[in-house]
């Protein structure tokens, strides 16, 4: 049975007595997170860049909006947009954690699908399904997704994602220690999300 991630936070809110307008807004954020989209395997790069299709992206967007509601003058909608952009980049970085995860960044899979032949595309989609429960399929998917064309387009979009997140953050307020911390996170995600092409990966493993 799947657990409701909003259940415990909602119980805590209910334990705090009568709801204030801020608490009412938090409850809405928890129960009906805005921007949540159905997640599918065969997404295009544009789908991934649009965000809102993973639990991580949705969580960052929701939590940024909830935090903004505690500050006078802060726009929850604008902070939600930043949180989602932050989450999209974080999602790619999380997929690049060291073994034994062997995951493939969603954006890299999308670019691999976009640049593949019809037969290779069908094979990648099948591997994407199998990779959810099979380590061997995860390894094969990662390897086949790392074609030079897919990796080049993927890295280009990573830079675009960081730029969009930075631009969004710049619109939200003046520079400060917390802003610098968020910029540092974005830089870290970009580095962590980087991948090698199949040729370089093979040469490295052959040493």
């Amino acid at each position: 049975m799947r657990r409701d991630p909003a259940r415990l936070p909602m119980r805590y809110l209910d334990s705090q007595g009568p709801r204030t307008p801020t608490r009412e807004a938090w409850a809405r954020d928890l129960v009906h997170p805005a921007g949540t989209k159905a997640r599918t395997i065969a997404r295009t790069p544009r789908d991934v860049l649009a965000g809102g299709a993973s639990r991580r992206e949705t969580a960052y967007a929701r939590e940024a909006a909830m935090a903004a509601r505690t500050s006078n003058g802060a726009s929850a909608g604008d902070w939600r947009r930043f949180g989602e952009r932050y989450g999209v980049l974080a999602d790619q970085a999380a997929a690049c954690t060291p073994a034994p995860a062997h995951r493939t960044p969603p954006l890299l899979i999308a670019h691999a699908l976009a640049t593949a032949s019809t037969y290779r595309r069908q094979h990648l989609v099948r591997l994407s399904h199998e990779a959810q429960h099979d380590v061997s399929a995860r390894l094969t998917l990662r390897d086949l997704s790392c074609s030079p064309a897919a990796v080049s387009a993927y890295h280009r979009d990573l830079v675009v994602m960081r730029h969009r997140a930075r631009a969004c953050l710049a619109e939200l307020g003046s520079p400060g220690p917390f802003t610098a911390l968020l910029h540092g996170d974005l830089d870290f995600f970009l580095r962590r999300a980087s991948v090698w092409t199949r040729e370089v990966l093979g040469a490295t493993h052959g040493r």
Side-chain angles (χ1 to χ4, degrees):
M1 177 187 269
R2 201 169 179 182
R3 294 182 178 179
D4 179 6
R7 186 174 62 176
L8 286 178
M10 286 296 293
R11 285 179 62 183
Y12 176 76
L13 280 179
D14 290 338
S15 73
Q16 299 303 299
R19 288 188 179 178
T20 63
T22 297
R23 289 177 188 165
E24 285 288 355
W26 282 347
R28 290 194 298 271
D29 290 332
L30 288 166
V31 177
H32 302 293
T36 305
K37 305 169 188 175
R39 187 166 191 174
T40 59
I41 295 294
R43 292 191 292 160
T44 66
R46 180 175 292 182
D47 292 335
V48 180
L49 290 169
S54 81
R55 283 178 292 181
R56 181 176 287 102
E57 294 164 23
T58 302
Y60 278 125
R62 179 189 63 234
E63 288 159 16
M66 291 177 72
R69 295 189 192 283
T70 66
S71 175
N72 293 330
S75 168
D78 289 343
W79 275 101
R80 184 187 301 280
R81 184 162 54 94
F82 167 75
E84 190 167 83
R85 292 180 177 184
Y86 181 100
V88 172
L89 195 54
D91 216 26
Q92 313 314 308
C96 292
T97 54
H102 302 301
R103 291 178 55 211
T104 306
L107 182 60
L108 179 59
I109 295 175
H111 277 297
L113 290 169
T115 57
S117 64
T118 301
Y119 172 77
R120 175 62 65 84
R121 178 181 171 83
Q122 293 172 345
H123 186 43
L124 287 169
V125 171
R126 185 168 62 252
L127 283 171
S128 295
H129 285 286
E130 294 173 357
Q132 297 178 44
H133 52 77
D134 180 55
V135 175
S136 177
R138 276 201 292 272
L139 287 167
T140 304
L141 175 64
R142 179 73 178 240
D143 183 58
L144 293 181
S145 296
C146 289
S147 67
V151 169
S152 176
Y154 167 71
H155 283 158
R156 185 169 60 248
D157 275 349
L158 287 180
V159 174
V160 169
M161 280 194 290
R162 182 181 63 172
H163 175 75
R164 288 179 178 175
R166 281 179 164 181
C168 188
L169 189 57
E171 294 172 1
L172 288 169
S174 57
F178 295 110
T179 303
L181 180 63
L182 290 171
H183 278 296
D185 284 349
L186 294 172
D187 292 340
F188 171 76
F189 293 151
L190 181 66
R191 293 192 301 271
R192 171 59 68 86
S194 297
V195 299
W196 298 101
T197 63
R198 199 158 53 232
E199 286 81 355
V200 173
L201 191 64
T204 303
H205 287 175
R207 288 177 185 172

